[in-house]
Every structure is written in C-alpha cells, then in structure tokens.
Amino acid sequence: CLFFGSVVRAAPLHLKDTGVGCSSVQQKIYVQLNKTFPCVRLLNATHQIGCQSSVSGDTGVLHVLETETDLDWVLSSGPNPPYVVLMVAEHFNRSTMMKLKGSARVAGVAVVISKAGPAQGFSPHHSCPNQNSGVYSDSYGPELAGCNVTVWNPLGNSLSYEDFRFPIFSLHEGEEADVIRKCFLDHNRGVNGSDPAYPLCAMQLASHMYAVKDTATCMRRNDIQSRFSISPEFVCDALADYNVWSSLKPLNNSGKGHLDGESVVIAATRLDSRSFFWNEAPGGESAVGGFVTLLAAAQALRAVVEDHPPSQNILFTFFQGETFDYIGSSRMVYDMENGKFVIDLDNIHSLVEIGQVALHRNGQLWLHSDPVSRRNSSVRSEVRERTSTALNLSLSVAEPDVSQPLPPSSFQRFLRARPIPGVVLTDHMSAFSNRYYESLYDDAEYLNVSYPSGLSPEEQLEYVTDTAKTLAEVATLVARSLYKQAGGLDDHLSSINADPKIVTQMLYGFLVQSNNSWFRSLVSPDIVKNLGDPVKMPTWLVQYVLANFTGTLRNLTQTQCKNPEDLEGESKDLYSYFWVQGPVPPNSTQGEGYCVRAPVRLVKAHSPAFELHQYSSRDYSTWTESRWKQIQARIFLVASRDLEMLTLGVGVAVLLVSLVVTYFINSKADLLFSSSRETTSTAY
C-alpha cells in the first residue's frame, strides 16, 4: 500500500505503538491530537469574527511561549518562521493575541487550558454584553445606553469578537499537551544559545471556514446554491436552537394569540453560554446556576399548586441564544406580537427573570428593575409589590439605586415591546460577580461544585455540595415569590421548599457528568445513547427534567405514550407525552420505562431576521456560523528548507533522467527487443 505525503516529513513520532500495516505509515509520521477544540468563524450583519486556516491547514514550527523573550523570538528573531505558538492560559490575553494577530510570522496558536482559571479573571466577551440589542437606545433611556452608567463585565476584553486570520485551538492539560512539549524540548531548543537544528517539531492546524465577510453575503451564497445546484453545499447556518417552556396550568398549544381572561406570570432564564472555543462553554455561573434554580423552583411549586393553585398561571421559559443578541427571547416576543404563540403580550401580568445567582455572598441577592418604565405609576407599584414580596422571605434581597439600568437580560426584549412590570434577580448589585463570564473557566470548579476525595461517580451524584444548598435557598425564594405573585395565599408559602438533593444532582449532571444514573432515568432511551461528557445538549435535558418536575405519570404503554390522541382523557393539544427510560433495578441493565404527561413544549429559538430575510437587521439577531469540512490538529517533524529543495531537485532530476531513458528505450525498441528469425523447415 502507498501513502502519498510530503517529502519534508522525517522521523517517526508517536504517542504509543500503533502496530503495523498500511495505515501505520501515516500514524508514524503524524501524531493526531484528538482532544482539541477550535475557534470557528461567526458572522453578523456587519462583519465576521473568529478564526480560520487555509484550505489545507496552516503549518509552522512549534514554539512554546513562556516569557516575553519567547514572544520576541516568534515575532522577530526566530530563524524558522512561520511559527505555531503553544501557550499556557496565563499568556492567552488580549495584549499577547493582538501582537500575534499583527504578525505574518505566526501560522497558528494552541492554548493549553489549565484546570483553574487565571487568578485575576478572564472574560473574552464584551465589557457591555448585547449593548446594541437591548432596550436602551437613543429613543429609550439614552442616558442608560451603551453601559454609560454601569459597565457590567469590566474584565471583558472582546477577544471572542476579533477576526483572526490564523487557526487557534485549545487543548487541556494531559498526555497530548505533554507530548507536544516533549517534541519541542527534544527538537526545537538550541544548545548553548545556538539556533535549533533540523529536523524541527512542527504543528499543523486545519480549520478552514467556508463563509466570509458577513451574514448577508453567506446567506446570498446559500440561496444561489439552493437555486442552481442539485447538491447544494451551504456555507453558513443561522444560530438557532429551541426555547423550552412549561406552565402550571396547561395551555392549548393548538390555539395561538390572545387568551381571554388569562393572566400569566413569566418566570424566565437563559440556557446558553459560550467561550472563545467551539463546543467548550460550561457556563456555570452565566447560565447553569440560573436555569438549575428555575428548574428547582418549578419542582418546589408542584406539591403546593396541586392542592392550592394560584389564581394566575405561571409560564416557565428557558431561552436559547441569549448570548447572541437575545435570539430566544426576541423570537418569543415576535411570536407573541404576531399571534404565533399560545399567549400574547396582553396576557402577561409580570415577569421575573433569574440571572446569575450562583455566586451570591452572605445570602445577598439583588432585584433589578427598569428605571424608565418605573416612571409609569402602575408599573412602579407593581415593581414595589414584587420587591416587598421578596424582602419578606429568608434571604437578604436588596434593590440597586433606581438610576441604574437593567443588566443584560431577556427582560429587555419584552420591554422593547411594551412596559411590562418585572424584575431580574442576580447576585451582583452593579458589575458582574462572575470573573470568568463567557469563558471556559466558568465551570464546576469555579462554582465550588467539588467532592471529597475517594467518592465514586454515583456517590458524587448524591453528595449535597454547599453550592447546591445555597442555590436551593435561592430556588425556594423564587418559588415562593412566584406563587404569591400569581395570587397564591401566604398561608401556603412555608410549604414551598426546594430540595437540595435535586439541585446537587442537576449541578453534577450539567457541569460534571451528564451520563449519570439520574439523568438516564429521566430521559428517553434515544437521549440516553447521546449522553456525553460534558453536556452538549442542554435543551433536550432541560425539557425532560422539566417534564418530570411538572408532569404526571400516566398508565400507558410505550406505543400509547407516543400516540395518545384516541385515548380518553388524553390531549396532545394540552400536553406533551414523554416515554422515559426510568431507573435501572439492581442486577439489571434495562430501565423500567414509564410515560410522563406534562405541559412542556419546545418552540423555535430562531431569529426573526432569517424568517423575514432581513439579514442586515438592527432589530433582530443576525448571527450565523460558518460551515467547515475538516477540523484537525497534528504534530510531526519537518526537514530544513535546503533539504526540501535538495529532495525536490533530486526528484526532478530522477524524473528527467527517467523521461530520457524511456524515450531512448522506446525509440530503439525494435533493435533492443527483436529476436533472431527462426527457420520455417523442420528436420527430423
């Protein structure tokens, strides 16, 4: 068998012996790095951000960045450019990256992610998140727009919103990072101050992106492909997912628009987060703490509302895409305005949003409201009633100065439509408490979701952490406040309590290990097959967890559960039906499945800009993600340029000599290959 590779590859380099055979030739030349995460390209109405490589990937000599002197080596003094820079997380900052961005001597960057984040904090997001898509503008609270009063994310360096023309990958500390460092130390360090000698250790990073310029351009190219190609190859996709919602009292999903006589309190939070690198976004404080709190509040309300329902309905909503100009909430508001949702804006009594709440100190939480809408006397009275309700509960809840705007929140998209009474509950009075906002360090360790040594995964799942206890208190506050806000009686408030054990199980599942026995018991067999580590599918998991928390068990077979339309007392207009795997009994490998009926729905979290074909819209999110064909990182040994030229020269010479010899042999074939004539007579 043959392997057609470049002639510049040299000695074998491998993690471990992979055996022999046809494929081992390539395996002995390259070390594939399988646990890497790339930075990818995103686009909006005006520009592109992110990273990309050339079509075949970018290759450079590996250099480990340890000090400022190492940076000078890469940018000016190193004799073997271009370089791929390997750096630890403490050097991955705006100052260093902008220097590398401006150099033609850089072919790529690989960042080794440590377990703990930089002590000073790190946020590659904007210092003023979603500043152009919220409620504050020249026509609404202009003095509050653009973070003029409060800079919410002061550590934000906007690195995620730069456009890098070379690939950037991340990898975690471990075997692969050690192999890369060893390759550098063995081959790329000079002796006694001399330049390193060939062969040198090199790295190739491949992450070529198809989309360029902006969303309007890539969507136009998509349209051309769909119109004129039999097998269209799209270059980008709109960022989209699903919102999850449920209600205390079921709402008829077949009916859309205004519901006469229905008043609804919306309890909202966000599901999504991001980081600089694709598919690496734990979102512990920015998202998980909030939606775990709301899920626990929904579960705490269940026992009380069955016997003592409040006079008004409560709608639990979990929005996707809020990081990117409020995709999920803007879509729900759009649907409400256009009669495409089960209620409309007139049905909304008030809104309570759960923001970042996992880092509150000494039980201190903050209720934020909009100072502009509070100028309306009716809105002001509603907000004061909500605040007083929270203040009567066990946790310490304070209200910032009324001159301060709302923090970045989904509530702002509702306020853009009309002055709805509402509050946003957070753990910060002004700037975020989160030092790792929208970064990959916003994880379980940062939230102190930790366990005593020696515990098995199953024991960790059951261990109630201090973080779970504090979030359970917040969930109790939220549940009681929602119950009273919806018209429930004070007599029943003491019966509403969130369960710390359930909170700790959710934190373990969403931040540590999703493939655990508790999650497996709550979801369908199809979802069980896709559970991984870390969580890559929070929408579906939240849907099933919420269904188990707010639904009821039905005595139905699996077939009936999937098709309950003809069964008496069942209605798919009012409920969704979920067949879940159930807990696995001892000495068994199969769960005892059961059917859950719950008023839980998925609705599109897809920006209206794409439905309206307004790809340059300033009213709705226009974010898209480029498509790509291959994501790959690998290291190998590279020969010197002189040896490359010599090898090429020898190859060309051999080719020319072969052509001459072939021509000569062909022209003299009759002489060279003729045989003596045989006699035609035969003698005996």
Side-chain angles (χ1 to χ4, degrees):
C1 59
L2 298 175
F3 169 71
F4 295 92
S6 172
V7 296
V8 303
R9 281 39 169 180
L13 186 65
H14 49 81
L15 284 169
K16 57 186 178 181
D17 186 12
T18 54
V20 295
C22 175
S23 62
S24 68
V25 176
Q26 182 175 1
Q27 291 170 351
K28 288 184 177 180
I29 293 176
Y30 298 105
V31 173
Q32 296 290 341
L33 306 174
N34 299 317
K35 298 179 181 179
T36 58
F37 300 88
C39 159
V40 301
R41 173 170 288 170
L42 302 175
L43 310 96
N44 66 6
T46 58
H47 62 290
Q48 64 186 25
I49 64 172
C51 320
Q52 83 149 359
S53 73
S54 60
V55 175
S56 58
D58 291 338
T59 301
V61 173
L62 183 67
H63 193 78
V64 176
L65 182 63
E66 296 175 339
T67 65
E68 287 297 322
T69 305
D70 295 319
L71 190 60
D72 293 337
W73 177 276
V74 172
L75 298 178
S76 57
S77 61
N80 303 305
Y83 290 97
V84 171
V85 180
L86 180 75
M87 64 173 69
V88 293
E90 64 183 86
H91 294 303
F92 185 59
N93 53 55
R94 183 173 182 85
S95 174
T96 301
M97 291 306 299
M98 296 310 289
K99 291 177 182 177
L100 296 177
K101 179 181 177 180
S103 174
R105 292 166 56 90
V106 178
V109 173
V111 184
V112 180
I113 305 301
S114 57
K115 191 172 183 181
Q120 70 274 18
F122 174 74
S123 174
H125 205 67
H126 286 315
S127 60
C128 190
N130 287 350
Q131 62 176 321
N132 297 318
S133 52
V135 66
Y136 302 110
S137 63
D138 292 340
S139 59
Y140 188 96
E143 71 281 5
L144 305 174
C147 291
N148 288 333
V149 176
T150 303
V151 178
W152 296 107
N153 185 33
L155 293 174
N157 58 30
S158 299
L159 197 60
S160 290
Y161 292 85
E162 291 291 336
D163 181 28
F164 293 94
R165 300 306 175 95
F166 52 76
I168 304 176
F169 280 58
S170 74
L171 67 157
H172 291 266
E173 286 286 2
E175 182 185 14
E176 290 188 341
D178 293 340
V179 168
I180 297 173
R181 291 192 181 101
K182 185 177 186 304
C183 184
F184 170 78
L185 293 174
D186 290 346
H187 300 280
N188 293 12
R189 275 198 185 261
V191 179
N192 297 325
S194 64
D195 293 339
Y198 285 95
L200 297 175
C201 184
M203 178 178 282
Q204 183 183 58
L205 303 175
S207 60
H208 180 65
M209 301 288 132
Y210 291 163
V212 295
K213 191 177 180 182
D214 54 37
T215 289
T217 301
C218 81
M219 295 304 291
R220 182 175 67 249
R221 292 177 178 177
N222 282 354
D223 184 61
I224 293 173
Q225 283 284 326
S226 62
R227 289 172 180 267
F228 300 107
S229 176
I230 298 177
S231 301
E233 293 187 4
F234 295 148
V235 298
C236 69
D237 299 286
L239 294 184
D241 203 299
Y242 290 93
N243 297 328
V244 184
W245 67 266
S246 180
S247 56
L248 284 184
K249 306 170 188 176
L251 297 170
N252 192 331
N253 195 51
S254 63
K256 306 295 182 182
H258 184 70
L259 278 179
D260 292 334
E262 188 76 39
S263 181
V264 176
V265 176
I266 293 182
T269 191
R270 57 179 280 195
L271 285 177
D272 64 296
S273 61
R274 72 166 301 201
S275 77
F276 187 88
F277 300 102
W278 180 75
N279 235 10
E280 277 268 274
E285 159 76 340
S286 61
V288 176
F291 72 68
V292 163
T293 297
L294 189 54
L295 286 169
Q299 193 272 339
L301 283 168
R302 176 179 178 177
V304 174
V305 299
E306 288 179 353
D307 298 325
H308 308 285
S311 58
Q312 296 170 328
N313 208 347
I314 300 176
L315 186 73
F316 303 99
T317 56
F318 299 81
F319 294 121
Q320 270 283 10
E322 298 303 273
T323 304
F324 297 97
D325 296 329
Y326 305 119
I327 293 174
S329 55
S330 64
R331 179 58 192 232
M332 182 170 284
V333 171
Y334 173 82
D335 287 344
M336 288 182 176
E337 290 178 317
N338 291 276
K340 297 180 179 180
F341 193 63
V342 294
I343 61 170
D344 66 7
L345 294 171
D346 291 329
N347 290 122
I348 299 177
H349 173 269
S350 54
L351 187 148
V352 175
E353 181 169 351
I354 316 303
Q356 300 182 82
V357 294
L359 294 177
H360 66 276
R361 299 291 183 257
N362 301 318
Q364 180 66 63
L365 293 170
W366 299 89
L367 275 177
H368 301 263
S369 58
D370 172 40
V372 178
S373 62
R374 286 185 62 168
R375 296 168 188 167
N376 181 299
S377 59
S378 62
V379 173
R380 186 166 61 249
S381 62
E382 288 284 357
V383 171
R384 284 177 177 171
E385 183 180 344
R386 303 290 74 78
T387 305
S388 63
T389 299
L391 288 171
N392 289 330
L393 298 173
S394 58
L395 289 173
S396 175
V397 182
E399 193 177 5
D401 187 276
V402 293
S403 65
Q404 180 173 273
L406 281 169
S409 53
S410 306
F411 182 33
Q412 293 199 31
R413 295 300 301 194
F414 286 84
L415 285 176
R416 283 182 62 148
R418 63 181 59 191
I420 296 169
V423 293
V424 179
L425 182 68
T426 72
D427 56 20
H428 55 88
M429 182 183 72
S430 53
F432 294 159
S433 301
N434 189 354
R435 292 184 291 114
Y436 303 112
Y437 183 73
E438 304 294 22
S439 82
L440 45 77
Y441 297 113
D442 186 11
D443 56 10
E445 182 169 336
Y446 182 48
L447 293 191
N448 197 28
V449 179
S450 56
Y451 308 92
S453 60
L455 294 185
S456 67
E458 200 65 28
E459 290 170 333
Q460 291 179 352
L461 175 65
E462 301 294 327
Y463 181 81
V464 180
T465 63
D466 291 338
T467 303
K469 294 175 183 177
T470 58
L471 279 183
E473 293 177 356
V474 180
T476 299
L477 163 70
V478 171
R480 291 179 180 181
S481 181
L482 287 171
Y483 183 72
K484 187 170 182 180
Q485 190 169 341
L489 301 177
D490 291 352
D491 298 343
H492 308 300
L493 292 180
S494 60
S495 301
I496 301 175
N497 295 284
D499 186 349
K501 182 178 178 180
I502 286 179
V503 174
T504 206
Q505 289 173 322
M506 286 192 287
L507 290 175
Y508 181 82
F510 286 112
L511 289 175
V512 180
Q513 175 58 267
S514 63
N515 191 5
N516 61 73
S517 61
W518 189 64
F519 267 7
R520 289 195 297 268
S521 70
L522 297 181
V523 301
S524 72
D526 292 336
I527 300 293
V528 169
K529 297 175 184 177
N530 296 314
L531 288 177
D533 177 25
V535 173
K536 306 297 183 186
M537 45 190 299
T539 302
W540 304 100
L541 288 174
V542 167
Q543 179 194 23
Y544 274 89
V545 171
L546 186 60
N548 280 272
F549 285 177
T550 61
T552 57
L553 301 183
R554 307 300 293 174
N555 187 22
L556 302 176
T557 65
Q558 185 171 0
T559 302
Q560 291 173 328
C561 192
K562 292 181 178 180
N563 300 285
E565 296 91 342
D566 299 329
L567 300 177
E568 185 178 353
E570 308 297 344
S571 172
K572 294 195 75 172
D573 291 334
L574 296 177
Y575 302 98
S576 295
Y577 292 79
F578 304 89
W579 182 261
V580 302
Q581 178 166 284
V584 178
N587 302 320
S588 177
T589 58
Q590 192 71 26
E592 297 178 353
Y594 56 87
C595 184
V596 175
R597 185 183 75 176
V600 176
R601 304 284 182 180
L602 295 179
V603 291
K604 288 190 296 184
H606 187 251
S607 174
F610 297 96
E611 189 170 297
L612 300 171
H613 301 288
Q614 297 177 358
Y615 305 131
S616 299
S617 172
R618 295 190 179 276
D619 294 323
Y620 299 109
S621 172
T622 56
W623 284 104
T624 54
E625 181 180 75
S626 175
R627 290 194 179 186
W628 59 83
K629 191 169 186 178
Q630 183 183 45
I631 298 294
Q632 179 178 255
R634 57 189 183 181
I635 59 174
F636 53 92
L637 297 181
V638 62
S640 68
R641 177 63 61 177
D642 293 341
L643 181 58
E644 290 180 10
M645 293 298 100
L646 176 61
T647 305
L648 178 62
V650 171
V652 171
V654 170
L655 174 64
L656 293 176
V657 170
S658 300
L659 292 175
V660 172
V661 171
T662 301
Y663 175 78
F664 174 77
I665 292 175
N666 186 61
S667 63
K668 303 297 182 178
D670 291 342
L671 179 61
L672 295 173
F673 301 108
S674 61
S675 58
S676 58
R677 184 180 302 273
E678 295 183 2
T679 179
T680 58
S681 60
T682 303
Y684 294 94

